[in-house]
Amino acid sequence: MTLALYNIQKHKTNRKGKNKMLKNLFIREKLKEKEVKKMKRTSYFMITILVLILAVAFDAHAVLIDFEGLAEGTLITNQYAGVTFTQDDGGSPMIDNKSFLYAYESSSGGGVLTGSMTGGAPFPTVAGMIAIFDSPVAKAGAFFSDTGPLSDYNFTAYDAASVVIGSFTILLGDPSLPTISNDPTCDSSVPWDGTGCGRFVGFDFGSNNMKSIQFGPSVAYGDAFAIDDFTYEAVPEPATLILLGSGLIGLGFAAKKRFKKQSN
């Protein structure tokens, strides 16, 4: 082989080697680019999950039941999601659309919840009422009213084992209770928040350990009362948030490790 032919062949070989090197470099860069895109998608996914976790943690809101839109005398059991209503005598409470009889103002609407005779009460409006939650909650309560109390009223919260975890009493003569004559517009010293007459009674435990809440009856059995604007709220459990957060962190480390492996 002459020197000229040798140089030509060497040039071709070098050019092929250079082209192959450039091609491999191009392929490697493409793979790296794909991995970067995967990393970005993983990051977007992680951010989305984080937003959802934060939304659960900071956007917990109460469920409000106003007892509106049902016929007079409708028995209430499990018509409302997440909670079942019953009475301390085993009956079912009912809708009363004459809320003014209990001194609720018009802004509260027409419907309230009161006792029925289905559990053996001698007459309606006197039986104690119980709300049982599908899952334990942290907060629950309602606007309670008796315009002519005859004695004290007890309010009690129970856990899933039916153990008392909270209770208090409204005493006879408590000035916070409205009457038709002295508080027709809910303008007493108690802040009514524009939700209607009555005194708000309830519990806030800060964690989901309340399985049920009982309103009344009066110590002087036969005392008529009602509740309105019943509300309850569950809060995110720390263990759940920690589990989700740990999974998110693990996903991030796995993606980072894979990215480094592909880059080397």
Side-chain angles (χ1 to χ4, degrees), residues 29-74:
E29 288 299 318
K30 281 292 184 181
L31 290 174
K32 187 182 290 186
E33 185 180 328
K34 286 183 178 180
E35 198 60 33
V36 169
K37 287 182 179 180
K38 285 182 181 179
M39 188 68 178
K40 285 183 178 180
R41 285 197 296 268
T42 302
S43 298
Y44 293 150
F45 175 74
M46 290 166 60
I47 291 171
T48 301
I49 295 298
L50 180 60
V51 169
L52 291 175
I53 292 174
L54 292 175
V56 170
F58 298 108
D59 193 38
H61 61 281
V63 176
L64 175 66
I65 299 174
D66 60 11
F67 304 113
E68 300 296 328
L70 296 173
E72 177 83 11
T74 299

Side-chain angles (χ1 to χ4, degrees), residues 89-150:
D89 59 9
S92 299
M94 67 178 186
I95 296 294
D96 190 337
N97 286 326
K98 301 180 182 66
S99 61
F100 62 88
L101 294 177
Y102 307 90
Y104 290 98
E105 65 178 8
S106 58
S107 63
S108 178
V112 296
L113 191 68
T114 191
S116 75
M117 298 172 62
T118 56
F123 39 87
T125 76
V126 303
M129 292 179 282
I130 304 171
I132 305 171
F133 305 103
D134 292 356
S135 299
V137 300
K139 306 176 185 179
F143 282 87
F144 160 85
S145 184
D146 178 353
T147 58
L150 303 175

